C-alpha cells in the first residue's frame, strides 16, 4: 500500500511536528563495558568475546572505569547534572544478537540528566543562523549488541534470507545513549533542526575524543522520533521511531518523510501507529518495523551483579575543569584565525568540513585553498554520492598533498581537480593518479620551447603584435600552447618563454 504523502507547506497549515532524538554513541575505550575483551573494529567474527559478554552462566561483569569517565565528560559537555549515585538495570528482551537475553543499561537512574545543547541552525536562504536550544533528558550508559548478518536475500534483511550469521564482537562495547526531550516549535525547520542537532552532537563528542562518532561505521547511530499534533493544540500526537539512521542527510530525510506520511494518515482520518520504522537510503522512505514496546514491557530491574556507580564530586569537578573548548567557541576562534567570512564559515560548518579543514591546515595548507578543495570538490562529490564528507576516502593528508603539488608547480587547479576526481574513483594516492592519468604539468623548457616555437610559427600576426609591444596579445599564444599540450603546460613558464623569444 503506497502511503499518501502531504507536501510540507500544506501539512504545516494543520500540524505541528514534534521531534525526539535518541543517539547511541559507541565509546572508543580499548576494552568492553563489563569485560576486558578488545573492541577493535573489523576483527574476525567472534574473536573478541569471553564468558561475560557472551552471557555464559556464572560470568561476572565489572564496570569499565574509562567508560564511566567518558559518560561523565559527555554529560558535562551537554550541561547535564551528574548523578552522585546510580545503578545499571537489566532491560529484558530476546534478540538473537543479544546473548544474555537482556541488555545491561540504565533505567530510572541515568548517570547524566537535565542538560541542553545550543545549536546554530543554518537558514536555508543563507540568512543569519538561528540558535535553537535542545533539552537533553538523559545520557545513560549501556552496552551494544552483537551484529546479525542475513545472507542470501536481496535487501540484507531477514525477509528472504537463506540463513543468518551472528558476530558477537560488538556485544558489550560501551554505548552512551543520549535522549532529548520533545523538540517543539520548529515547524518547517524540523528536518534541518534534527540534522543540526546530530551534527552538533557529533562535533561535541568528537571534540571530547571519547568516540570516533562515525555514522557510516555505526559508532554513532540515531533513532528519529517524530509525531504531528493538530496545529496549536499543544497535545502531542502518536510518534514513530525510525531506527538506526546512519547519516546526517538521512536524519533530515527521515524527518521530512515521516512528516509527510503521518500527515497523509491524519488527513484521511486515520491514526498513526506507535511503531519502529526502517529508513531506506535509496528512496528516502520509511517502512514499518515492529510495534513499539512500552518501557514496562522490558521488566527493567536493578542489575544485581554490578555495584552502583558513585562518582565523587571531586572527580566530576576535575573532569569539568579539563573539558576542551566547546565547539561553538572553537568555531569562532578558528574563523578569526583563518580569516573566513561569516558566510564561508557557515558553509564550511554546514558541510561538516570544519574538523577536516582544521586537520588540513595543521598539515601546512593555507586556510583558503583548504576551504576551496573541501567545499568545491569534495563536499560536492559527497552531496552527489550521498556519502559523509569524511568517508570519501580522500582525507586531510591527500588534500594537503594536492595543494603542495599545486604550489610546487606540478599541478594547476584544473589538473588538481582531475586528481581529486581520480582519488574519488579509487585510483589511489595523488601521485598514483598523476602517474596513471599522466596529469603532471610540463614545465620542462625543452618540451615547452618546442610548443612555443610551433605556436609562434602558426600565428605570425599575433607574434608580430607582441614584437610591437602589445604584450597582452601573448594570451592567444599561451592558449595555443596549452591546447597543444592538453592543458598540462605551466602557463607562467609558457608566458616567460614567449616573451623571451619575441622581445
Ligand atoms: Zn568479553
Ligand atoms: Mn539504547
Amino acid at each position: 500500500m503506497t502511503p499518501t504523502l502531504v507536501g510540507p507547506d500544506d501539512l504545516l497549515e494543520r500540524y505541528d511536528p514534534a521531534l525526539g532524538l535518541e543517539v547511541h554513541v559507541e565509546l572508543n575505550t580499548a576494552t568492553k563495558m563489563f569485560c576486558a575483551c578488545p573492541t577493535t573494529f573489523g576483527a574476525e567474527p567472534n574473536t573478541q568475546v569471553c564468558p561475560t559478554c557472551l552471557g555464559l552462566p556464572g560470568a561476572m561483569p565489572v564496570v569499565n572505569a574509562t567508560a564511566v569517565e567518558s559518560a561523565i565528560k559527555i554529560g558535562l559537555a551537554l550541561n547535564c547534572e551528574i548523578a552522585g549515585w546510580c545503578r545499571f538495570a537489566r532491560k529484558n528482551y530476546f534478540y538473537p544478537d543479544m546473548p544474555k537475553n537482556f541488555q545491561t543499561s540504565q533505567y530510572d537512574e541515568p548517570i547524566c540528566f537535565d542538560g541542553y545543547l545550543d545549536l546554530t541552525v543554518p537558514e536555508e536562504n543563507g540568512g543569519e543562523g538561528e540558535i535553537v536550544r535542545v533539552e537533553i533528558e538523559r545520557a545513560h550508559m549501556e552496552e551494544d549488541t552483537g551484529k546479525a548478518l542475513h545472507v542470501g536475500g536481496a535487501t540484507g534483511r531477514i525477509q528472504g534470507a537463506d540463513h543468518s550469521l551472528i558476530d558477537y564482537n560488538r556485544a558489550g562495547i560501551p554505548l552512551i545513549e543520549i535522549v532529548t526531550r520533545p523538540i517543539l516549535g520548529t515547524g518547517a525547520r524540523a528536518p534541518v533542526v534534527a540534522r543540526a542537532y546530530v551534527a552538533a552532537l557529533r562535533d561535541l563528542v568528537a571534540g571530547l575524543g571519547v568516540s570516533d562518532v562515525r555514522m557510516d561505521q555505526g559508532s554513532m547511530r540515531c533513532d528519529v522520533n517524530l509525531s504531528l499534533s493538530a496545529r496549536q493544540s499543544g497535545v502531542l500526537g502518536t510518534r514513530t521511531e525510525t531506527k538506526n539512521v546512519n547519516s546526517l542527510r538521512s536524519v533530515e530525510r527521515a524527518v521530512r518523510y515521516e512528516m509527510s506520511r503521518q500527515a497523509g494518515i491524519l488527513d484521511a482520518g486515520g491514526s498513526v501507529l506507535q511503531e519502529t520504522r526502517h529508513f531506506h537510503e535509496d528512496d528516502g522512505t520509511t517502512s514499518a518495523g515492529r510495534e513499539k514496546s512500552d518501557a514496562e514491557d522490558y521488566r527493567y530491574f536493578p542489575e544485581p551483579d554490578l555495584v552502583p556507580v558513585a562518582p565523587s564530586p571531586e572527580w566530576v569537578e576535575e573532569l569539568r575543569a579539563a573539558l576542551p573548548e566547546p565547539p561553538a567557541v572553537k568555531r569562532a576562534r578558528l574563523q578569526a584565525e583563518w580569516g573566513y567570512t561569516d558566510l564561508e564559515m557557515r558553509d564550511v560548518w554546514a558541510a561538516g568540513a570544519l574538523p577536516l579543514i582544521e586537520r588540513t591546515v595543521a598539515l601546512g595548507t593555507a586556510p583558503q585553498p583548504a576551504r576551496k578543495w573541501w567545499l568545491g570538490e569534495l563536499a560536492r562529490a559527497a552531496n552527489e554520492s550521498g556519502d559523509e564528507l569524511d568517508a570519501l576516502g580522500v582525507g586531510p593528508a591527500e588534500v594537503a598533498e594536492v595543494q603542495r603539488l599545486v604550489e610546487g608547480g606540478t599541478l594547476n587547479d584544473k589538473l588538481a581537480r582531475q586528481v581529486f576526481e581520480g582519488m574519488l574513483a579509487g585510483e589511489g594516492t595523488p601521485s598514483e593518479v598523476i602517474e596513471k592519468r599522466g596529469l603532471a604539468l610540463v614545465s620542462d623548457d625543452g618540451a615547452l620551447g618546442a610548443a612555443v616555437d610551433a605556436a609562434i610559427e602558426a600565428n605570425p600576426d599575433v607574434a608580430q603584435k607582441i614584437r610591437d609591444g602589445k604584450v597582452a596579445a601573448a594570451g592567444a599564444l599561451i592558449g595555443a600552447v596549452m591546447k597543444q599540450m592538453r592543458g598540462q603546460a605551466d602557463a607562467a613558464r609558457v608566458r616567460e618563454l614567449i616573451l623571451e623569444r619575441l622581445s
Side-chain angles (χ1 to χ4, degrees):
M1 189 186 73
T2 319
T4 310
L5 300 177
V6 182
D9 295 338
D10 188 7
L11 76 90
L12 288 161
E13 286 172 17
R14 297 184 294 287
Y15 305 107
D16 293 325
L19 279 170
L21 297 158
E22 296 174 24
V23 174
H24 285 86
V25 168
E26 203 174 80
L27 298 179
N28 59 6
T29 52
T31 58
K32 292 188 181 180
M33 188 75 218
F34 304 113
C35 64
C37 288
T39 56
T40 321
F41 182 79
E44 274 287 294
N46 299 309
T47 55
Q48 300 181 342
V49 291
C50 74
T52 299
C53 54
L54 288 177
L56 301 187
M60 286 295 274
V62 177
V63 176
N64 182 332
T66 308
V68 175
E69 181 174 302
S70 298
I72 296 173
K73 284 181 180 169
I74 290 174
L76 291 171
L78 288 170
N79 307 291
C80 287
E81 306 282 325
I82 307 300
W85 188 94
C86 64
R87 284 177 297 186
F88 285 94
R90 290 191 182 185
K91 180 181 185 182
N92 297 283
Y93 64 104
F94 170 75
Y95 205 77
D97 65 11
M98 201 176 60
K100 296 176 357 184
N101 239 4
F102 60 84
Q103 181 188 33
T104 308
S105 181
Q106 293 194 287
Y107 180 46
D108 49 355
E109 300 168 358
I111 186 159
C112 313
F113 54 94
D114 287 349
Y116 62 86
L117 179 59
D118 285 335
L119 324 172
T120 310
V121 182
E123 293 279 338
E124 269 161 60
N125 51 18
E128 274 301 302
E130 172 202 4
I131 305 281
V132 174
R133 174 162 292 190
V134 173
E135 292 185 7
I136 306 295
E137 181 183 298
R138 56 192 280 144
H140 69 250
M141 300 180 283
E142 60 183 31
E143 59 181 338
D144 211 343
T145 58
K147 254 186 199 165
L149 182 67
H150 306 296
V151 185
T155 58
R157 296 195 187 283
I158 198 164
Q159 291 83 0
D162 294 331
H163 61 281
S164 299
L165 298 169
I166 299 187
D167 175 8
Y168 289 118
N169 282 352
R170 199 179 66 178
I173 289 188
L175 293 179
I176 305 300
E177 178 175 341
I178 301 152
V179 182
T180 67
R181 291 222 162 81
I183 306 167
L184 308 171
T186 56
R189 323 238 297 130
V192 184
V193 169
R195 178 186 183 136
Y197 167 75
V198 179
L201 188 58
R202 182 190 64 177
D203 290 353
L204 179 128
V205 174
L208 295 170
V210 298
S211 168
D212 304 335
V213 282
R214 293 289 301 255
M215 294 188 85
D216 59 315
Q217 289 184 358
S219 56
M220 181 171 184
R221 311 193 282 271
C222 181
D223 301 338
V224 176
N225 289 275
L226 187 100
S227 65
L228 295 180
S229 50
R231 189 123 200 262
Q232 293 175 344
S233 68
V235 182
L236 285 178
T238 303
R239 71 194 159 89
T240 59
E241 180 180 358
T242 305
K243 302 291 285 182
N244 293 330
V245 183
N246 65 3
S247 74
L248 294 177
R249 179 166 170 265
S250 299
V251 168
E252 184 177 335
R253 292 170 82 204
V255 173
R256 232 179 259 295
Y257 183 80
E258 273 303 289
M259 284 168 65
S260 296
R261 187 187 69 87
Q262 293 184 15
I265 294 170
L266 297 172
D267 277 356
S271 47
V272 173
L273 194 62
Q274 182 175 331
E275 63 185 355
T276 65
R277 297 186 68 85
H278 303 294
F279 180 71
H280 305 285
E281 297 282 344
D282 47 355
D283 58 3
T285 64
T286 66
S287 63
R290 58 181 159 83
E291 250 182 87
K292 178 70 178 170
S293 317
D294 284 319
E296 49 267 35
D297 297 336
Y298 290 118
R299 315 304 291 181
Y300 280 99
F301 63 85
E303 168 59 58
D305 287 347
L306 286 164
V307 293
V309 175
S312 73
E314 294 76 24
W315 186 34
V316 172
E317 287 319 306
E318 215 174 281
L319 294 174
R320 193 195 303 278
L323 284 182
E325 193 179 19
V329 175
K330 182 172 181 177
R331 206 151 60 226
R333 174 176 61 79
L334 289 176
Q335 184 181 352
E337 280 175 21
W338 294 346
Y340 288 2
T341 64
D342 287 353
L343 189 64
E344 285 172 342
M345 198 62 181
R346 196 153 59 230
D347 287 349
V348 161
W349 183 77
L354 193 78
L356 298 161
I357 291 179
E358 191 188 3
R359 281 156 58 201
T360 308
V361 169
L363 291 169
T365 304
Q368 283 301 350
R371 188 184 66 81
K372 177 176 74 183
W373 298 129
W374 278 109
L375 287 200
E377 294 309 301
L378 298 169
R380 195 167 47 78
N383 247 331
E384 280 166 13
S385 66
D387 287 316
E388 295 290 317
L389 190 55
D390 62 357
L392 290 172
V394 177
E398 287 75 30
V399 174
E401 176 62 13
V402 168
Q403 182 58 23
R404 254 195 301 282
L405 292 167
V406 170
E407 282 163 20
T410 305
L411 297 173
N412 57 19
D413 280 14
K414 185 167 158 243
L415 294 176
R417 274 191 281 277
Q418 293 181 49
V419 171
F420 280 115
E421 191 186 291
M423 286 194 287
L424 290 168
E427 292 168 28
T429 63
S431 48
E432 285 166 354
V433 176
I434 289 169
E435 167 92 36
K436 275 183 209 154
R437 295 194 172 197
L439 292 180
L441 275 185
V442 178
S443 54
D444 155 55
D445 280 358
L448 291 183
V452 166
D453 290 338
I456 290 172
E457 206 180 309
N459 299 280
D461 304 353
V462 180
Q464 191 54 48
K465 277 186 194 160
I466 299 170
R467 284 198 194 88
D468 294 344
K470 286 187 184 143
V471 178
L477 291 185
I478 296 171
V481 173
M482 292 302 268
K483 193 171 170 194
Q484 192 182 335
M485 307 207 61
R486 301 197 331 273
Q488 288 177 229
D490 176 346
R493 187 61 194 144
V494 169
R495 184 184 169 82
E496 283 170 13
L497 290 173
I498 290 168
L499 295 180
E500 264 172 45
R501 280 166 168 69
L502 298 179
S503 60

